[in-house]
Amino acid sequence: MWNEELLYVGGFLARAGYELEMDQIRKLWTGAIGKTPSDQPDVELVAWLHARALHAMRFFTFHQSTPLAEVSRKMETSFFLCGGPRHPFPLMSTVGVRDVSEVRIPDAAFSEFVKELPVVPEEVLIGARRMVDALQDRGMVKNIEFMDVLRELRARPLSEVEMIACFKWWIGIQNQGEARTLARIRTELLNAAVLCVGERGSSDERIIPMSTIQTFLNTRTMGAIPTDGPLPAHLLPVSVSRHLDPNQLSTAFPWREFTTIDWIRHVTITPGPSVEHDITQSPQWSERVFQVLARMWPNMAKGNQEETVVLLRDKACVPTSAGMKLPQEAYFQSAHIFKDLPIVQLPSGVPVRGTLEKVFTAIGVRKHVDLQIVFNRCAYPTAYVG
């Protein structure tokens, strides 16, 4: 019994020496960053402190004793457990010396978007593998968990590259576990995730909570939609979605594909977001909208075609020789029997034919001049001389 107590004391003394050395490393790290704890010390200093911590961890690693393995086991037990479970065990991490309960084992699956979580540096993980294994065996240092991901997401917005990595990670695990549980976890993930688009701190910066997203653009089937024009707030930024498989997006997230009718509804909002993107004021933007419609029209469901007609027929959205006109006020070139008739005239000079002609016809552009107008013009010719 007396010998066992001495072994425990030896473990306590080893722990005291280890903590003293790690405390010195902690002070050097803290002194290097000063009053900005979010900053990192000089790269060379970090490497030196990591090496110093690695040396301490190797020095205080217990190896099997001979002829009695029990000797080293008892000393190791007292080394790790002295002071009880609430007594902090210092461990070098990527953000300095931290209590082991705050540090995680690094995982490549999280490395691209979980960047502020303290993890064991790679060189320490490799060089002090025996001590790290002993800490893992005792449940003192853990792998990265979902709650760690949530804490990171709640702490800061992710860049586009980081959000893509986060979504790829989630897509990779969404087939695991029970569907109802995954749905709850996914809700927590989207409620926590915030995307930062554009350069941070600039006028172009936009902060987008992922909980507001409802749709995504499948560029394989909807590539005609101009992404440089106005898009709804509920659409996942294309800078993110273009890097992800559409089928996986629809399976892994509660989102649906953005459709042509979704886009038409958005661009026909009056007034437009700007003159440049207002179909009633910009002939150039109006032409782009109709060109997209012409490409998508044959594949649109009849109900969506009918809704498109309703959305456009009462708007002065048709570029003509006399300015922007309501569809029923505009005429095709074939009806050009009077000089002052508003003839459809696209800014690019592209002739109106094929599917584009069908779209204009559907919304009410006229192919013929009513006989009554012809009679009126013939009866009172001077009234129409401008």
Side-chain angles (χ1 to χ4, degrees):
M1 179 64 71
W2 173 249
N3 288 338
E4 286 190 9
E5 294 298 330
L6 286 178
L7 293 176
Y8 281 117
V9 170
F12 295 161
L13 291 175
R15 175 69 171 269
Y18 173 78
E19 289 194 11
L20 182 63
E21 174 64 6
M22 298 303 282
D23 189 56
Q24 289 298 315
I25 296 172
R26 178 190 289 111
K27 289 178 180 178
L28 289 170
W29 186 291
T30 304
I33 62 177
K35 296 181 179 179
T36 54
S38 60
D39 293 342
Q40 288 282 346
D42 178 76
V43 175
E44 292 184 2
L45 178 59
V46 167
W48 181 75
L49 292 175
H50 282 179
R52 182 168 172 176
L54 178 57
H55 175 74
M57 294 176 71
R58 284 174 171 170
F59 187 84
F60 290 101
T61 295
F62 292 83
H63 301 270
Q64 183 173 322
S65 56
T66 56
L68 293 176
E70 189 68 16
V71 172
S72 60
R73 281 201 296 269
K74 289 186 180 296
M75 291 187 70
E76 183 180 43
T77 299
S78 64
F79 174 81
F80 284 114
L81 302 182
C82 67
R86 295 186 180 181
H87 186 73
F89 185 93
L91 182 65
M92 174 55 81
S93 78
T94 49
V95 293
V97 177
R98 294 290 184 90
D99 177 43
V100 69
S101 64
E102 302 175 18
V103 184
R104 300 289 184 265
I105 300 297
D107 187 332
F110 301 95
S111 61
E112 293 185 49
F113 66 97
V114 179
K115 296 182 176 179
E116 295 188 354
L117 177 69
V119 298
V120 180
E122 194 67 27
E123 60 269 34
V124 173
L125 185 67
I126 296 172
R129 186 77 252 184
R130 290 178 67 95
M131 178 177 277
V132 174
D133 286 345
L135 289 167
Q136 282 189 282
D137 291 342
R138 288 171 168 78
M140 297 174 70
V141 62
K142 299 178 181 179
N143 295 321
I144 298 175
E145 301 172 338
F146 181 65
M147 289 306 299
D148 298 318
V149 175
L150 286 184
R151 276 191 287 270
E152 178 96 8
L153 296 180
R154 289 166 179 162
R156 66 183 183 90
L158 300 189
S159 68
E160 292 161 294
V161 172
E162 291 171 333
M163 191 63 75
I164 292 166
C166 180
F167 285 169
K168 286 183 177 180
W169 161 74
W170 175 253
I171 289 170
I173 68 168
Q174 62 92 24
N175 289 327
Q176 304 172 20
E178 197 270 325
R180 183 175 299 179
T181 302
L182 280 175
R184 177 184 57 79
I185 295 174
R186 183 181 65 189
T187 299
E188 292 186 58
L189 178 75
L190 294 178
N191 285 340
V194 177
L195 174 66
C196 179
V197 177
E199 185 178 351
R200 297 196 178 186
S202 71
S203 58
D204 296 329
E205 181 186 42
R206 286 192 300 134
I207 301 298
I208 306 172
M210 290 296 95
S211 59
T212 64
I213 299 301
Q214 300 173 16
T215 59
F216 65 90
L217 182 65
N218 183 347
T219 53
R220 299 174 186 175
T221 59
M222 300 294 292
I225 290 180
T227 56
D228 58 340
L231 295 169
H234 60 71
L235 179 71
L236 181 68
V238 180
S239 56
V240 173
S241 61
R242 67 161 57 104
H243 297 281
L244 301 166
D245 183 270
N247 294 327
Q248 293 178 334
L249 276 176
S250 60
T251 302
F253 297 97
W255 305 329
R256 62 176 178 82
E257 287 194 23
F258 189 65
T259 64
T260 306
I261 193 62
D262 291 326
W263 182 68
I264 290 297
R265 288 172 188 149
H266 185 69
V267 299
T268 53
I269 294 174
T270 303
S274 65
V275 173
E276 179 187 3
H277 294 115
D278 189 327
I279 61 170
T280 65
Q281 298 188 60
S282 171
Q284 291 78 15
W285 177 243
S286 176
E287 177 178 356
R288 290 187 70 185
V289 171
F290 281 113
Q291 292 287 9
V292 170
L293 267 177
R295 290 183 60 181
M296 309 300 287
W297 193 259
N299 298 318
M300 289 178 67
K302 183 178 180 181
N304 288 341
Q305 290 181 346
E306 292 172 350
E307 182 178 350
T308 300
V309 170
V310 172
L311 290 169
L312 293 172
R313 68 186 179 190
D314 295 326
K315 289 182 171 57
C317 59
V318 181
T320 76
S321 55
M324 302 301 291
K325 295 292 183 179
L326 293 168
Q328 61 269 27
E329 295 175 342
Y331 294 85
F332 288 108
Q333 182 66 36
S334 59
H336 193 193
I337 60 175
F338 299 112
K339 292 183 179 180
D340 60 342
L341 279 181
I343 302 299
V344 177
Q345 185 175 299
L346 301 180
S348 66
V350 171
V352 179
R353 59 190 178 196
T355 311
L356 183 58
E357 183 179 1
K358 291 180 181 179
V359 173
F360 278 124
T361 301
I363 65 173
V365 174
R366 299 172 183 271
K367 291 185 175 182
H368 309 285
V369 179
D370 289 344
L371 286 176
Q372 186 59 51
I373 295 177
V374 175
F375 293 152
N376 290 342
R377 294 279 182 120
C378 292
Y380 307 100
T382 57
Y384 300 96
V385 177

